[in-house]
Amino acid sequence: MTEQLPAAHGALGANFNQNLDALDYRELRESGTRWVRGFYPMPATDQGDPAGHFAISTITEAGSRGYDTILSLKWPYNAASFPQPGSAAMAAELARLDRVLPTVLNKVDILAIGNEPFIESLPAERDERLNVFYETVARHVIDHRREHCGTNCRTTLYMGALNRLDLADRRTPAAERWMAFVRETPEIQGVDIHPHIPAPENAQAFLDFILPRMRPDQTYLVTEFSLVWYWKRHLQDPVSGEFAERYGFAPGTKVWEVIKAAIDEPFSRKQWNDFLTGSPWFMEQAGFLRSQLALYRGTGRLAVATYGFKQDDLMVGNFGPNKDPWLLNSVFVPYTAKSPGNGTSAPNYWLKDFKALQRS
């Protein structure tokens, strides 16, 4: 028996990644969203009761307040080999799951098994070893949900998430096996994708890969998406002459230098908006949110998409010409523009479209 489609089919929500402790309900209300997403790093289970970890406590509180919620479980194996089934290390991972799952099952709406497996792993092990590990933990989650949450369990399961499927070398045998497991496991509702891309049209490759490899009843998540690689190509462009003259920057000042100045001393909301709207490279992509949601919703298979909601300290630390400029994606910009004065963060250019794209 397969799962039902999520009630908020085609919704747009707020993604916080590792920063669920930055959630502000006033900002959520201003944006109009009903969906909240973040991730929980599984090693944190060794540091105390997972129910007390800010990621889980925040996401479950949001659920208790009536928000719909997505939690991704993150296994960072960038610096260590995947444990083998039957090993003591795998037993330890499954024991962590047994501590985490009671705190989230029937409390979050969607649980994504994995965050970015093909990034959070050793490059040499992005093969069947990755598949075996994630299939093992997924079956454990499925069994635990069946035994402890019952047939009417609120929590739907997805496998997450696939990256850079617009690049041929990422459409590997391991990615094929990932999709085969998604398709052949009745308890899995679908797959999560993270289209961080250099151009809007690159998102189509993600859909072309996943949709033919899913059951007709399955849906997909897009819990992260952005133009970060497009923004990065423009960090060393000169800022517009009009902006430079108006705000006292030397002619030829680079885009990254203006962003760094905003981090060092946040701009007024108008100055930050003038910086973005006065940049041709930014305005060429001003319709990104609208076009991407139209693409995803047009498939009839999108469950929920969540978009980067708020700048965090990792985005602004040591900012320079080679920094990945995630901060340009955010719906709210606490680090590059001054607060309106009520304790909330300044809204970014994207807020208007984010609000307009909400649907119940």
Side-chain angles (χ1 to χ4, degrees):
M1 182 176 179
T2 56
E3 302 286 344
Q4 298 299 308
L5 296 183
H9 192 50
L12 174 62
N15 173 40
F16 288 88
N17 279 343
Q18 73 277 7
N19 291 293
L20 278 163
D21 54 343
L23 184 151
D24 186 306
Y25 290 102
R26 295 169 298 176
E27 293 165 1
L28 290 180
R29 287 193 295 270
E30 184 176 356
S31 75
T33 186
R34 299 302 306 168
W35 281 87
V36 175
R37 182 260 177 180
F39 65 67
Y40 173 77
M42 290 300 292
T45 310
D46 298 338
Q47 298 164 13
D49 181 2
H53 188 278
F54 68 83
I56 291 177
S57 63
T58 302
I59 204 83
T60 55
E61 181 190 349
S64 72
R65 290 183 178 221
Y67 287 89
D68 300 303
T69 53
I70 304 171
L71 185 68
S72 300
L73 301 181
K74 175 187 174 87
W75 281 273
Y77 272 95
N78 314 64
S81 291
F82 288 116
Q84 297 296 312
S87 67
M90 182 63 85
E93 283 293 4
L94 300 182
R96 291 187 183 103
L97 269 175
D98 288 338
R99 295 185 64 201
V100 170
L101 292 174
T103 71
V104 296
L105 286 178
N106 225 24
K107 297 179 182 178
V108 300
D109 294 283
I110 293 174
L111 189 68
I113 302 167
N115 180 54
E116 293 182 334
F118 288 86
I119 292 176
E120 295 157 357
S121 54
L122 295 172
E125 294 192 2
R126 293 169 189 167
D127 52 23
E128 68 276 0
R129 289 168 286 187
L130 180 151
N131 297 113
V132 167
F133 174 79
Y134 279 94
E135 290 166 15
T136 300
V137 296
R139 291 192 182 98
H140 194 82
V141 172
I142 290 166
D143 291 344
H144 193 286
R145 187 181 66 153
R146 182 188 306 112
E147 294 169 15
H148 299 281
C149 203
T151 56
N152 295 318
C153 189
R154 166 183 170 182
T155 304
T156 303
L157 304 178
Y158 286 75
M159 296 297 292
L162 299 178
N163 295 81
R164 292 315 306 265
L165 293 174
D166 53 319
L167 301 177
D169 64 1
R170 305 297 177 92
R171 302 191 289 270
T172 63
E176 290 282 2
R177 177 168 167 173
W178 186 274
M179 292 306 306
F181 179 78
V182 168
R183 181 178 64 250
E184 295 165 8
T185 308
E187 299 86 353
I188 299 296
Q189 175 57 40
V191 69
D192 188 8
I193 55 174
H194 285 181
H196 295 298
I197 47 180
E201 57 268 26
N202 287 44
Q204 184 63 50
F206 286 74
L207 304 178
D208 292 343
F209 185 81
I210 66 169
L211 291 176
R213 293 166 173 80
M214 295 164 64
R215 301 188 307 267
D217 66 290
Q218 287 181 309
T219 57
Y220 65 95
L221 305 174
V222 188
T223 58
E224 297 182 27
F225 63 105
S226 79
L227 278 174
V228 66
W229 310 125
Y230 171 87
W231 308 138
K232 190 170 184 177
R233 289 206 310 265
H234 292 279
L235 285 182
Q236 300 206 52
D237 289 4
V239 73
S240 78
E242 181 181 351
F243 176 86
E245 182 176 359
R246 179 181 302 173
Y247 290 105
F249 289 91
T253 299
K254 308 293 189 187
V255 165
W256 75 265
E257 293 175 309
V258 173
I259 296 172
K260 179 66 163 59
I263 293 168
D264 292 343
E265 186 173 344
F267 292 174
S268 68
R269 178 181 174 184
K270 182 181 186 305
Q271 182 177 354
W272 179 252
N273 190 66
D274 286 349
F275 161 59
L276 296 178
T277 58
S279 299
W281 53 269
F282 184 85
M283 294 309 293
E284 285 171 8
Q285 304 297 346
F288 175 71
L289 270 184
R290 297 189 301 274
S291 66
Q292 293 295 284
L293 263 292
L295 174 66
Y296 302 141
R297 287 172 172 170
T299 65
R301 306 282 292 279
L302 173 68
V304 187
T306 61
Y307 186 70
F309 200 67
K310 197 168 180 178
Q311 292 173 342
D312 62 54
D313 55 356
L314 293 177
M315 297 178 186
V316 301
N318 300 311
F319 198 89
N322 298 311
K323 179 86 170 183
D324 297 340
W326 301 102
L327 56 78
L328 292 175
N329 301 323
S330 306
V331 177
F332 285 87
V333 288
Y335 286 91
T336 56
K338 295 175 182 175
S339 167
N342 60 359
T344 61
S345 303
N348 202 11
Y349 179 87
W350 305 110
L351 179 61
K352 181 179 179 181
D353 282 351
F354 188 92
K355 293 173 70 170
L357 288 164
Q358 295 306 312
R359 58 163 59 171
S360 60

